[in-house]
Amino acid sequence: MSSWRDSLTSIPGTVAQLINESASSLLHASSSLGSTVGPLGSTGSGSEGGSEESAPQGEYRALPIPASLVREQWRLIFTSDASIQDLHAAIAHCRDLVLLSEELSDERRWLVRHLVDLRYSLQELEEAQEQQSLSSDIVVMNAIRAVVGHHFVPHYPHHGKRNRLQAAARRNYCDHCTAIIWSVVQASYVCSDCGFLVHQKCIDSVMRVCAHVQVSERQHPISEICPEIGLAAQGYKCAECGTLLNLKNTWIEPRLCDYSGLYYCPRCNWNDSNFIPARIIHNWDFSPRRISRAALQEIRLFLNKPLIRLEEDNPKLFVFVEKLCAVKKLRQNLVHMRHYLAACRIASELKLVDQQLGCRRHLAQSNEFYSLKDLTQVESGALTDFLQGVFKSFDEHIRSCKMCLAQAYICEICSNIKVIFPFDDGCIKCDQCNSIFHRVCLTRKNMICPKCIRIQERRLQLDRIRSTEEEEVSTDDEVALAE
C-alpha cells in the first residue's frame, strides 16, 4: 500500500519534469529557427500562412528576455529553489554579460534588472541559512522570493484582524492566474513593493515586471491622454503576456487600458476603474476609467509622490479652478511660515512641523509640486480644510512666540507700530530686499520700495567715492611722473 501511495505522489513531479524538458527543447528549437521570443523566455511560434508580428517592446509593458540572451538563460534564470552556488555562478555570469553589452540597450536593461534580483535572492538565502544555523529548534524557510523585480513575502489575510469572519468572507484573486486564493488551504505571497498577490505555485511563472521597478524607471506618470497605438502595432497580442487577440482559434476580448493606451487580455486587464493622471492635469477630469492591473498598481505607487508641476504643465487651470487658487495661496503662506519655524528653537523642540504635516512636508516647502492625492483632495475640498488647520496652528505659535515675534516687520511707510508678517492678509513682500509693507501703503508709493531706493542710492554714492579716489590716485601718479 505504501509503495502504491509513493508511486501516486511521484506522478506530479514526473509530469512537471517532463513538461520542463519539453519546454526547454521547444525553446532551443524555436531560437534556432528564429522564432519570436515571449515574456521570460517563452516562445511564440508563427501562425499558419505567415508569422505574427511581435508585440512592441515599449516602456509600458513587462519586458521579455532579449532574443540575444536566449542561449544564456539556462545560466541566468533559476527557480526559487536554487542553491547559493547556483546564484553565485549566475551573478558572476550576469555581471560579465552586463560589461559586454552595449550601453542603453535592451540587453543591458534586462541584465541589470536580473542582476539585482539575483543578488537580492542570494542575500535572503544567506540570511535564512545564518538564522537556521543559530537556532536548531526553529526551521527558517526562504520567506522572501525575488522574481521579475517583485519581492514576495508570505501573505496572511487573517493575521492581526479582529473580525476573522469578514476577513475570511473577502475573496482574494491571484494576479497571475486570476483564480481565487482559498487562504484556508492555499498558501499565497504578496509583493512588498507593489502589492502583487499570487499563489505559491504561480510565483515562478510571474511575467509582469514589478510596478515599483516601472515607477522608478519612469519617475513620472504618463502625461499623454490614452496614447493608443492600436492592436495592429501590438501584433494582435496582449501587451503583457503576449496572448493572441484574434479570431483564428478562439475569441479573446481585447481590453483597452486608458492609462497606457495598450490592449490587454482579460487575464491582465480586470476592468478596474480609476482616475487617470493625464486627464486630471490637462482637463481636470476625475471620472474613473478602465485600466489594466499593472496600470492600477503603478498609479497607486504614484499616489503620494509629489512629482506633478501643475502650474508648469497647465497654468490655465489656476484661472478656471477657484479651489486651486485658494490652495496655492495657503501653500505660499505656509512656505513663509516655515522659515520662521525653522529658525525657532521652541518649534524645533515641539516638532510642530512634523506633528501638523507628517509625511506631507512638501506642502510647506514650495507651492510647485503636487501629488495625485493632493489633486484629488483639492477637488473634494479636503486639502483646503487640512491646510487651513495647519495655517491656524502655525499662526498661533508664531504670534505667541517671542523668538518668532523678534523676526517680524514694521511698515516703514505708515510707521505703524503693529508688527506684520509676509503671510498676513493685506501685506506684500518686496522681491528684491524681502521687506514687508502694507499693500495699501506700497500702492500709494506706486509699488516702489523705499528700502530698495535707499540701497540703490547708497551704491551710487559708493561708486562716486571710488571713482573720485581713482581719479586722485591717477593725478598723483601723473604729477610724480612729471617731476
Side-chain angles (χ1 to χ4, degrees):
M1 182 64 70
S2 60
S3 60
W4 180 70
R5 288 180 179 177
D6 295 338
S7 60
L8 286 178
T9 55
S10 63
I11 289 176
T14 307
V15 173
Q17 184 179 1
L18 180 61
I19 292 174
N20 291 332
E21 292 176 356
S22 60
S24 60
S25 61
L26 287 174
L27 180 62
H28 290 293
S30 59
S31 61
S32 61
L33 292 175
S35 58
T36 305
V37 180
L40 290 178
S42 61
T43 57
S45 58
S47 60
E48 297 179 2
S51 61
E52 295 285 347
E53 297 181 357
S54 61
Q57 296 184 3
E59 60 178 355
Y60 306 138
R61 58 160 295 173
L63 292 178
I65 180 172
S68 58
L69 299 175
V70 171
R71 296 181 180 179
E72 303 290 339
Q73 69 175 349
W74 67 275
R75 300 177 62 182
L76 296 175
I77 298 178
F78 293 95
T79 62
S80 57
D81 299 329
S83 61
I84 292 181
Q85 292 78 10
D86 295 337
L87 292 176
H88 275 298
I91 289 172
H93 187 59
C94 189
R95 185 171 58 248
D96 296 339
L97 291 177
V98 169
L99 298 176
L100 294 175
S101 61
E102 297 181 359
E103 294 184 358
L104 302 177
S105 61
D106 293 339
E107 289 80 5
R108 173 164 289 190
R109 183 180 182 185
W110 187 91
L111 287 169
V112 170
R113 280 183 180 177
H114 191 63
L115 182 61
V116 173
D117 290 341
L118 289 174
R119 287 177 174 173
Y120 192 88
S121 301
L122 178 62
Q123 180 183 355
E124 296 299 329
L125 188 57
E126 289 177 348
E127 291 178 356
Q129 289 192 357
E130 289 179 1
Q131 294 177 3
Q132 188 175 3
S133 61
L134 292 175
S135 177
S136 59
D137 297 333
I138 302 174
V139 179
V140 181
M141 302 299 293
N142 189 13
I144 301 180
R145 301 185 180 182
V147 180
V148 205
H150 297 279
H151 297 146
F152 288 112
V153 296
H155 179 238
Y156 304 105
H158 305 157
H159 182 69
K161 294 185 178 181
R162 295 181 179 179
N163 196 341
R164 294 178 177 268
L165 293 177
Q166 293 183 359
R170 182 182 177 182
R171 291 186 176 181
N172 294 318
Y173 295 89
C174 177
D175 278 307
H176 176 70
C177 66
T178 70
I180 299 177
I181 298 177
W182 302 102
S183 57
V184 179
V185 294
Q186 289 180 323
S188 59
Y189 281 73
V190 63
C191 178
S192 58
D193 297 329
C194 67
F196 190 96
L197 188 61
V198 65
H199 288 108
Q200 183 181 9
K201 62 180 181 180
C202 299
I203 286 182
D204 294 329
S205 304
V206 172
M207 294 180 290
R208 185 190 307 164
V209 176
C210 181
H212 188 270
V213 177
Q214 300 284 3
V215 167
S216 61
E217 290 181 355
R218 187 172 293 133
Q219 297 183 353
H220 290 86
I222 298 176
S223 58
E224 299 179 8
I225 298 178
C226 191
E228 184 181 357
I229 60 175
L231 270 174
Q234 293 183 206
Y236 296 95
K237 295 179 180 179
C238 174
E240 182 175 311
C241 65
T243 303
L244 290 176
L245 304 175
N246 53 24
L247 293 172
K248 292 184 178 179
N249 298 322
T250 57
W251 166 248
I252 298 177
E253 176 191 4
R255 295 179 177 178
L256 176 65
C257 175
D258 197 83
Y259 174 71
S260 62
L262 300 176
Y263 285 91
Y264 297 84
C265 65
R267 206 173 185 180
C268 304
N269 189 339
W270 298 2
N271 281 334
D272 295 300
S273 296
N274 200 76
F275 58 81
I276 307 300
R279 294 186 182 273
I280 296 175
I281 296 172
H282 297 290
N283 300 334
W284 200 247
D285 181 12
F286 292 87
S287 57
R289 309 278 177 162
R290 292 181 177 180
I291 57 176
S292 63
R293 294 293 296 176
L296 180 64
Q297 294 169 357
E298 186 174 327
I299 292 175
R300 286 176 178 173
L301 292 176
F302 275 124
L303 189 62
N304 296 315
K305 296 181 181 294
L307 302 171
I308 301 173
R309 291 189 173 184
L310 192 62
E311 196 167 5
E312 181 180 336
D313 295 337
N314 192 0
K316 293 184 178 180
L317 279 179
F318 291 87
V319 179
F320 296 101
V321 183
E322 297 180 358
K323 298 177 182 178
L324 276 175
C325 297
V327 169
K328 181 182 177 181
K329 178 61 179 175
L330 285 171
R331 292 187 64 179
Q332 287 177 347
N333 293 336
L334 292 179
V335 171
H336 295 312
M337 288 180 167
R338 187 179 62 86
H339 296 298
Y340 287 89
L341 299 176
C344 180
R345 175 179 56 82
I346 300 174
S348 300
E349 292 177 355
L350 296 175
K351 296 182 178 180
L352 188 61
V353 178
D354 293 336
Q355 290 179 1
Q356 296 296 327
L357 293 175
C359 60
R360 306 179 73 176
R361 296 174 66 94
H362 66 278
L363 295 173
Q365 290 177 350
S366 67
N367 59 348
E368 298 179 1
F369 294 94
Y370 292 83
S371 65
L372 294 175
K373 183 179 179 180
D374 296 337
L375 298 180
T376 55
Q377 290 187 352
V378 168
E379 176 65 15
S380 64
L383 185 60
T384 305
D385 298 338
F386 173 74
L387 293 179
Q388 286 177 351
V390 176
F391 176 84
K392 184 179 179 180
S393 62
F394 286 178
D395 186 68
E396 290 177 356
H397 171 81
I398 292 174
R399 296 188 186 278
S400 61
C401 177
K402 293 182 179 180
M403 297 183 66
C404 295
L405 285 174
Q407 303 180 44
Y409 291 83
I410 295 177
C411 181
E412 62 177 88
I413 298 176
C414 63
S415 300
N416 192 345
I417 61 174
K418 185 179 180 180
V419 295
I420 56 177
F421 293 94
F423 50 84
D424 287 339
D425 293 334
C427 295
I428 189 172
K429 181 180 179 180
C430 178
D431 295 333
Q432 301 295 328
C433 62
N434 296 327
S435 297
I436 311 299
F437 305 95
H438 293 115
R439 187 181 295 274
V440 178
C441 299
L442 196 62
T443 305
R444 247 189 264 128
K445 292 286 185 178
N446 295 326
M447 305 302 290
I448 299 175
C449 175
K451 186 176 179 180
C452 292
I453 294 176
R454 291 198 306 270
I455 293 173
Q456 188 176 4
E457 291 177 353
R458 193 178 302 166
R459 287 176 180 173
L460 292 174
Q461 186 178 1
L462 291 174
D463 291 340
R464 292 195 199 98
I465 294 173
R466 289 174 183 173
S467 61
T468 54
E469 290 178 353
E470 290 176 357
E471 289 176 359
E472 290 177 357
V473 170
S474 62
T475 54
D476 293 340
D477 293 340
E478 290 176 359
V479 170
L481 290 174
E483 292 178 354

